[in-house]
Amino acid sequence: MARYDVLLFDLDDTLLDFAVAERAALKRAFEGVGYQYDEEKHLPLYQHHNRANWAAFEAGEIDLDTLKTQRFKDFCGAISPIFDPDLFRRFFVMYLGESAHSIAGAPRVVQALSKQYRLALITNGLKDVQRARLKRWELAVHFPVVVISDEIGAKKPDPEFFEHTLHSLGNPDRERCLIIGDSLTSDIQGGVNSGIETCWFNPRGKTAEGGAKPTYQVKELRELLDLLLDP
C-alpha cells in the first residue's frame, strides 16, 4: 500500500507493554517505601485512580502538574493517611523509567515498516519516564522523531499536538499520514480532530463507541504488515 508516507505510532500499549512496566514499578515502589504490597488489592486500585486522572487530563479538566501528583495523592490516600504520596511517586516514576518491554510482534513490525515509511512516536506520557524508557528500548532507533506531550505543552487529542508533530516531520501532507494507537480518546479522536486517518490497535476486540471512528482496525500488530506493506 503506497497510500501513506508517514506512520505516527502511539507508544504505551501500542508498541511498549505498559501493563508489564506498571506492575513491576508498583511492586518496587512499595518495597521502596517499606509498605507491604498486595497485587490483587493495590494494582487495580492504582489503575483506577491513574486512569481517572489521565482521562481528566485528556479532557482538559486538570493540567499536567496536577496529573503528576494527584493520581498518587488519590491512590495513597485510599490506602493509608500516613502513606507519603510524594515519596511513593518518586520511587514509582524511577522504576517505571527502567522498563521497556515490547508488545508482541512490535520488533518485526517496526523493523519491516521502517524500510518503507517514515516513523514517528507520539505519546502523552511524562518526559522523564518516556525518555528513560526510550534509552533502553532497542526499537527507538527507528523513530527519529519523538513527540511527548510533556515536552511541547500540548496533548493528544488536541489538534495542537498533531500540528507540532507534522511540523517536526517537515510538514508532510496529512493525507499521507496514518496514526496507529490503542486509545480511542487520544489517538483515534486526535486523528479525527486533525484530519489524519487512523488505525486502531484493538487487541481485546472492544467496540468503538462515541465519535472516534478509526479508518482501520487491527487486533495484532502483525496485521499492519498486510495492511501497509506493498505485496
Side-chain angles (χ1 to χ4, degrees):
M1 175 187 286
R3 183 173 177 179
Y4 305 105
D5 299 318
V6 180
L7 304 180
L8 310 176
F9 274 93
D10 171 54
L11 186 60
D12 285 319
D13 291 326
T14 300
L15 294 176
L16 280 182
D17 194 329
F18 186 76
V20 169
E22 183 180 60
R23 285 197 302 271
L26 196 64
K27 182 177 184 295
R28 295 179 71 188
F30 268 84
E31 294 170 352
V33 299
Y35 200 96
Q36 183 66 38
Y37 178 58
D38 180 343
E39 181 167 290
E40 290 187 5
K41 174 184 177 182
H42 294 138
L43 179 59
L45 182 63
Y46 172 75
Q47 289 173 334
H48 166 74
H49 290 294
N50 185 51
R51 289 168 182 164
N53 278 275
W54 272 105
F57 171 66
E58 290 179 358
E61 297 169 2
I62 61 174
D63 61 21
L64 186 61
D65 288 338
T66 301
L67 167 69
K68 291 178 180 180
T69 58
Q70 190 61 47
R71 55 191 177 139
F72 293 102
K73 290 179 181 178
D74 294 344
F75 172 60
C76 294
I79 296 174
S80 168
I82 62 171
F83 206 15
D84 184 345
D86 185 60
L87 178 62
F88 186 86
R89 177 185 61 81
R90 283 183 278 145
F91 275 116
F92 181 83
V93 169
M94 177 177 66
Y95 292 131
L96 190 63
E98 295 179 1
S99 180
H101 298 275
S102 293
I103 291 284
R108 177 191 172 200
V109 168
V110 168
Q111 289 165 9
L113 292 177
S114 68
K115 296 175 182 178
Q116 185 171 325
Y117 296 92
R118 296 178 66 196
L119 305 183
L121 284 175
I122 54 173
T123 174
N124 273 353
L126 304 179
K127 61 183 178 182
D128 292 343
V129 171
Q130 302 300 55
R131 290 296 178 185
R133 296 170 77 203
L134 289 172
K135 286 182 180 180
R136 293 169 168 81
W137 192 42
E138 70 278 7
L139 300 179
V141 65
H142 297 290
F143 296 89
V145 172
V146 177
V147 182
I148 303 175
S149 61
D150 192 11
E151 292 181 339
I152 68 170
K155 64 185 182 302
K156 299 180 289 183
D158 297 346
E160 292 87 347
F161 181 96
F162 295 95
E163 292 300 328
H164 181 99
T165 299
L166 294 177
H167 180 74
S168 298
L169 287 161
N171 296 308
D173 184 349
R174 69 187 62 219
E175 294 184 359
R176 303 284 297 177
C177 299
L178 180 70
I179 297 168
I180 302 166
D182 71 296
S183 173
L184 285 173
T185 56
S186 63
D187 303 313
I188 308 308
Q189 187 63 55
V192 171
N193 294 348
S194 302
I196 303 173
E197 293 191 343
T198 61
C199 180
W200 185 27
F201 176 50
N202 183 21
R204 297 183 180 180
K206 297 179 181 178
T207 301
E209 298 178 351
K213 302 299 183 183
T215 312
Y216 312 101
Q217 183 175 158
V218 296
K219 192 170 185 179
E220 298 180 6
L221 288 177
R222 61 181 176 84
E223 295 175 53
L224 292 172
L225 301 182
D226 292 331
L227 177 67
L228 295 170
L229 291 184
D230 293 329

